[in-house]
Amino acid sequence: QDFLREMSEKDNKIKSLVDMGFPEDEANMAITRCGVDAALTVLADSVYASQAAGDCHYGNLSDYEVTGSCFDSLGGRKRARLMEGSKKKRKRYGGAAQGNRRPLDGSHEEPMPLPNPMVGFNLPNDRLRSVTRRLPQQAIGPPFFYYENVALAPKGVWATISRFLYDIEPEFVDSKHLCAAARKRGYIHNLPIENRFPLLPLPPKTIFEAFPHYKKWWPSWDPRRQLNCLQTSMSSAKLTERIQCALASSGNPPPKSVQKYVMDECRKWNLVWVGKNKVAHLEPDEVEYLLGFPRDHTRGVGKTERFKSLGNSFQVDTVAYHLSVLKDMYPNGVNVLSLFTGIGGGEVALHRLGIHMRTVVSVEIGEVNRRILRGWWDQTQTGTLIEIADVKSLTDDRIATFVRRFGGFDLVIGGSPCNNLAGSNRHHRDGLEGEQSALFYHYFRIVDAVKSAMGRM
Ligand code: SAH
């Protein structure tokens, strides 16, 4: 039975990795390297590591080829109605990126490889790697917009998102290049990419820089210097106990099999060493620190809620680096339409950049998240915060009214839910058409409505 369980677990993992766009043989190899119990994030990292080491080449990754056919798999009348207008847009925008011409019937496959290393268009103090880009014509012009989602999404997702968002090429960044925690995300935006600057002070880039006191108990066989993507849930006390038992009953250093078991769990849950043989999960205030939020930003709500909201949030230093170009453009402040606001990663980034927010219209369904944002806003801001619960209730008419009232929005920012895209939720990874992830289409609808309303001003 154990054997059968392991085999089916292995099959599931391979399937998930293949859905993310990794070739099957590499997924298989990663499982052999890391063990079948390793988390998907660990396996994905392992495939990346072997690719970086030159074990294979992206040129061969046919699974990264994405198809536009998912446009046609949409179900539901409501969706169909929303899509009606969008399909027209797709026609309008199809084929413009980088001057490529491609058929619009969805039959053509187009590559969208994830870059390795995942450093985006440029990084602070790394001018060497900087690229230049020319935005497609239809992407230019107010408002500026900034969209975020998980980089490792099932195949086709980013091509679809990009096509809806005026054919702009996504900027894929792993936050481990800017801070001590990995967070692989794609960003689609029409902001300039020259003359960006990072938030100061620069955040710590390693675990020991961030938390020097953990050095004391860190075993030499734990090679981690950065944390994995911070999760939306925390490890159980039972697990810490099991690890402690496994270590206590083996020698020092423990045998390779025990090391592997412990390291897999440590990577999966971002456990840190707090005593002899004793690991623990990070505390919420440590996660806040790693993500660039002020201390106690999420305090006052339950621990589970804090982990969930932090796990879904922006990494502030990363987003602020991209938004920094707005600072000189808007010396008198900005009007922001913040969609899927969460705990306000975008707002905190703007604030830390010293960009005044005259008005923020924030759309966030979670009551707890709205409470967190309101608390922070009242403590730190002088502008106006307008709160709306659901993107579905932000109709085009309401948008036009806001645009008239505030003279337009300077920035539309947001990352729609990734529940149906992210690897940890493999039972519901039905891609962009999943119930939550399809909210992306509202992001697109709203940006487009702002654009039209501002065009009429
Ligand atoms: N960028 C945010 C987090 C985005 S996660 C941050 O920095 O914190 C996606 C968010 O969308 C979640 O907070 C979720 O509660 C919210 N959400 C889900 N469905 C929504 C809807 N229908 N309308 C508005 N917000 C929604």
Side-chain angles (χ1 to χ4, degrees):
Q1 263 178 346
D2 273 353
F3 175 73
L4 286 175
R5 187 194 57 77
E6 200 169 292
M7 289 321 280
S8 95
E9 176 75 15
K10 187 173 174 184
D11 282 349
N12 285 339
K13 289 231 161 105
I14 291 180
K15 187 169 175 309
S16 299
L17 287 163
V18 168
D19 286 348
M20 285 172 173
F22 294 111
E24 189 173 337
D25 57 333
E26 286 182 40
N28 205 347
M29 262 149 52
I31 292 175
T32 311
R33 277 195 300 272
C34 307
V36 73
D37 289 330
L40 275 178
T41 47
V42 174
L43 294 170
D45 277 344
S46 171
V47 178
Y48 272 117
S50 91
Q51 283 167 349
D55 296 355
C56 64
H57 300 283
Y58 274 93
N60 300 335
L61 290 191
S62 59
D63 271 323
Y64 274 109
E65 308 268 309
V66 286
T67 136
S69 60
C70 39
F71 282 113
D72 307 318
S73 64
L74 295 165
R77 288 208 359 237
K78 214 162 154 200
R79 182 97 36 84
R81 233 178 300 134
L82 176 63
M83 296 296 297
E84 226 161 78
S86 314
K87 278 191 178 164
K88 281 188 213 131
K89 296 271 161 35
R90 170 168 65 102
K91 287 233 161 83
R92 186 150 16 115
Y93 304 128
Q98 291 98 46
N100 292 344
R101 296 197 53 199
R102 52 181 189 252
L104 294 165
D105 58 3
S107 65
H108 184 69
E109 300 218 325
E110 118 207 39
M112 174 111 21
L114 291 175
N116 186 8
M118 208 181 266
V119 294
F121 297 140
N122 53 41
L123 284 175
N125 307 318
D126 186 9
R127 303 267 162 226
L128 284 181
R129 264 194 284 224
S130 183
V131 298
T132 51
R133 71 161 176 173
R134 236 186 67 210
L135 282 172
Q137 192 57 38
Q138 66 275 6
I140 301 171
F144 283 118
F145 63 86
Y146 187 85
Y147 176 79
E148 177 254 20
N149 214 322
V150 290
L152 296 170
K155 83 179 173 189
V157 165
W158 274 107
T160 306
I161 294 177
S162 164
R163 193 159 330 170
F164 272 82
L165 295 177
Y166 316 99
D167 261 334
I168 299 176
E169 183 193 341
E171 174 167 21
F172 291 107
V173 186
D174 187 338
S175 291
K176 74 174 182 188
H177 299 292
L178 291 108
C179 72
R183 180 156 289 214
K184 295 180 177 66
R185 293 287 186 269
Y187 305 89
I188 288 190
H189 60 84
N190 60 351
L191 294 160
I193 60 170
E194 296 82 24
N195 301 318
R196 291 167 161 179
F197 59 88
L199 282 180
L200 295 176
L202 290 175
K205 298 260 299 255
T206 63
I207 299 173
F208 295 150
E209 270 174 54
F211 311 114
H213 54 288
Y214 291 144
K215 227 180 198 155
K216 183 166 178 212
W217 298 108
W218 209 271
S220 58
W221 47 269
D222 180 344
R224 290 174 303 155
R225 292 301 173 260
Q226 288 192 303
L227 293 156
N228 268 326
C229 188
L230 304 160
Q231 304 233 35
T232 49
S233 56
M234 58 180 162
S235 63
S236 67
K238 270 241 157 343
L239 175 67
T240 350
E241 194 188 316
R242 271 204 303 274
I243 290 176
Q244 195 161 14
C245 283
L247 290 172
S249 54
S250 44
N252 189 14
K256 283 272 178 294
S257 58
V258 175
Q259 285 183 27
K260 198 183 120 10
Y261 160 69
V262 174
M263 284 316 305
D264 281 348
E265 296 297 346
C266 284
R267 286 202 172 94
K268 178 169 173 182
W269 295 105
N270 279 312
L271 303 175
V272 289
W273 297 92
V274 295
K276 184 163 189 267
N277 296 338
K278 191 172 162 196
V279 289
H281 62 73
L282 292 167
E283 289 299 323
D285 61 321
E286 294 174 320
V287 178
E288 286 168 349
Y289 178 54
L290 289 167
L291 292 172
F293 286 92
R295 197 189 166 102
D296 293 340
H297 185 72
T298 57
R299 195 154 175 186
V301 307
K303 210 165 168 172
T304 312
E305 287 289 347
R306 291 179 80 182
F307 278 112
K308 184 164 169 237
S309 296
L310 286 162
N312 282 326
S313 86
F314 287 159
Q315 202 288 323
V316 171
D317 301 271
T318 311
V319 170
Y321 180 60
H322 299 158
L323 298 179
S324 61
V325 294
L326 295 171
K327 177 143 184 172
D328 283 347
M329 277 190 252
Y330 296 99
N332 298 322
V334 284
N335 292 330
V336 181
L337 178 52
S338 170
L339 305 175
F340 313 103
T341 306
I343 55 173
E347 288 77 357
V348 171
L350 289 167
H351 174 63
R352 287 195 55 198
L353 285 163
I355 299 175
H356 173 60
M357 285 163 274
R358 288 206 305 271
T359 317
V360 170
V361 175
S362 158
V363 192
E364 166 56 48
I365 210 154
E367 206 256 277
V368 166
N369 285 343
R370 288 204 302 273
R371 186 142 46 92
I372 291 170
L373 181 77
R374 171 60 74 183
W376 172 81
W377 185 273
D378 290 345
Q379 271 176 53
T380 59
Q381 304 298 305
T382 53
T384 309
L385 174 65
I386 297 171
E387 288 165 295
I388 296 174
D390 194 335
V391 287
K392 290 178 197 145
S393 63
L394 183 56
T395 59
D396 293 8
D397 284 348
R398 253 178 121 181
I399 293 167
T401 309
F402 280 131
V403 164
R404 280 196 299 275
R405 183 161 146 207
F406 305 126
F409 288 105
D410 305 303
L411 176 67
V412 182
I413 185 168
S416 56
C418 60
N419 306 25
N420 310 100
L421 306 179
S424 53
N425 192 355
R426 65 167 181 259
H427 298 297
H428 304 284
R429 288 183 64 234
D430 29 15
L432 204 52
E433 314 318 325
E435 193 184 341
Q436 289 288 300
S437 304
L439 290 167
F440 157 74
Y441 295 109
H442 283 280
Y443 180 91
F444 158 73
R445 171 185 64 81
I446 291 168
V447 169
D448 219 47
V450 171
K451 222 172 160 58
S452 312
M454 288 180 74
R456 293 194 297 270
M457 273 195 333

